[in-house]
Amino acid sequence: MADLYERALAAAEHIRSLHEGRPVLGIILGSGLGNFAAQVEGATTIDYGEIPGWPLSTVEGHSGKLVMGTIGGVDVAVMQGRVHAYEGYSMNEVTFPTRVLGLLGCKGLIVTNAAGGINTSYGEGTLVAISDHINLTGMNAAVGPNEPRFGMREGTGYRFFDMTVAYSARLRKLAHAEAEKQQIPLPEGVYIAVLGPSYETPAEIRVFRTLGADLVGMSTVHEVIVARHMGMEVLGISLVTNMAAGVLDRVIHHEEVMEIGRRVEAQFSSLVKALVPQVAGTIAEQAG
Ligand code: HPA
């Protein structure tokens, strides 16, 4: 069987055979945020099932499509839905799409997710710029033989690689400025990733707060690790769909996670749509 690099390359080549544009920015849409893909102009929509090697989501509410096209004149590859480790997928499967985005030529990645709010200054529906993460999943997507061919430019693709600047400060700055312009509150926060699929206990959330986490979720960190291995610059945005366990005196339902996404969709779309050309322009200036 072909190795991971060759399989990811085959997927990228298949996508290239279906769509002419060459994306410079990848966008991964989290739970409830999938409708953002409607912003893509001149779209070629590819079912995940059509792409060789691409993992298929088993979770309701996570549709699986890759939408290629442009936003604000910038070539993008938008992932509507992702797979998670809690579905039983291996780290290589969870991060396969991110590898493919890199091989397609994306130099930047906007990664979004639904998250529980640990920081009590947040509320349901708050958008948060991720400043850093804590990977508590016990897994790391870079485990296994190192594949230097995944490095997209000098200084990347190494066995050991930096995570000091996992979430680009200059891209966050752009996000804050645009949010302010649009009068959308956009606090920053540290995202802690757990394996799931059970939500956390209140005791776990108290521990996570002590550890310095503001948000909790079950995705993102592995994609970001792989993106950094490849040298992609990352902007992370969380949507607080619910306050984390024990913060409010009530239980957490998956349905409300999806519902909040629909409620905040307009704000989220308007923010990210405006950010796409700015992020692409900044990354093109000089690799960060
Ligand atoms: N915990 C973990 N993941 C989540 C949550 C949560 O409360 N809400 C949305 N994704």
Side-chain angles (χ1 to χ4, degrees):
M1 191 163 139
D3 67 20
L4 176 65
Y5 179 79
E6 283 159 10
R7 282 183 279 131
L9 202 57
E13 275 163 12
H14 183 72
I15 294 163
R16 283 193 177 130
S17 75
L18 299 174
H19 180 81
E20 261 187 21
R22 297 291 170 253
V24 293
L25 195 60
I27 303 175
I28 303 178
L29 300 174
S31 306
L33 299 171
N35 286 343
F36 175 78
Q39 304 295 329
V40 178
E41 289 168 35
T44 302
T45 301
I46 308 167
D47 280 334
Y48 287 165
E50 286 178 43
I51 309 170
W54 198 286
L56 302 178
S57 176
T58 60
V59 192
E60 233 180 285
H62 296 252
S63 60
K65 286 180 173 58
L66 180 67
V67 183
M68 311 282 298
T70 63
I71 294 177
V74 173
D75 271 292
V76 293
V78 180
M79 279 173 56
Q80 201 177 36
R82 58 150 72 87
V83 302
H84 303 79
Y86 62 69
E87 295 174 75
Y89 286 108
S90 70
M91 284 289 93
N92 278 350
E93 288 169 313
V94 168
T95 56
F96 185 85
T98 309
R99 293 291 195 194
V100 175
L101 293 181
L103 293 182
L104 281 170
C106 295
K107 300 274 185 292
L109 182 69
I110 300 181
V111 59
T112 71
N113 58 53
I118 297 176
N119 187 323
T120 54
S121 75
Y122 303 160
E124 287 171 359
T126 305
L127 293 171
V128 181
I130 303 175
S131 57
D132 205 345
H133 79 216
I134 299 168
N135 177 8
L136 211 71
T137 64
M139 300 171 173
N140 189 304
V143 167
N146 185 48
E147 176 50 81
R149 286 177 294 177
F150 277 127
M152 301 193 322
R153 58 166 195 262
E154 211 176 318
T156 68
Y158 291 144
R159 165 80 301 177
F160 303 104
F161 53 98
D162 180 72
M163 289 293 286
T164 317
V165 286
Y167 299 85
S168 163
R170 63 181 189 166
L171 297 189
R172 247 183 297 148
K173 206 168 146 194
L174 288 180
H176 288 305
E178 183 58 36
E180 197 175 328
K181 196 169 139 201
Q182 298 193 22
Q183 298 186 319
I184 298 169
L186 188 72
E188 289 205 344
V190 173
Y191 177 95
I192 194 163
V194 293
L195 181 58
S198 56
Y199 289 121
E200 301 69 38
T201 63
E204 287 166 342
I205 293 302
R206 287 193 298 274
V207 171
F208 297 168
R209 184 177 293 121
T210 309
L211 291 177
D214 300 296
L215 301 150
V216 58
M218 305 171 190
S219 66
T220 303
V221 295
H222 306 116
E223 292 150 348
V224 171
I225 287 170
V226 159
R228 292 306 295 153
H229 178 250
M230 298 180 84
M232 297 161 90
E233 197 169 339
V234 177
L235 174 65
I237 298 177
S238 285
L239 164 64
V240 177
T241 50
N242 57 280
M243 293 311 286
V247 174
L248 304 175
D249 190 16
R250 57 186 232 220
V251 298
I252 300 166
H253 296 288
H254 177 63
E255 295 71 36
E256 74 182 330
V257 169
M258 303 305 294
E259 173 55 32
I260 295 285
R262 282 188 279 275
R263 238 199 277 164
V264 183
E265 189 184 312
Q267 267 192 349
F268 171 81
S269 289
S270 144
L271 177 65
V272 176
K273 189 179 176 184
L275 279 172
V276 165
Q278 299 178 39
V279 167
T282 300
I283 290 174
E285 273 166 31
Q286 185 206 12

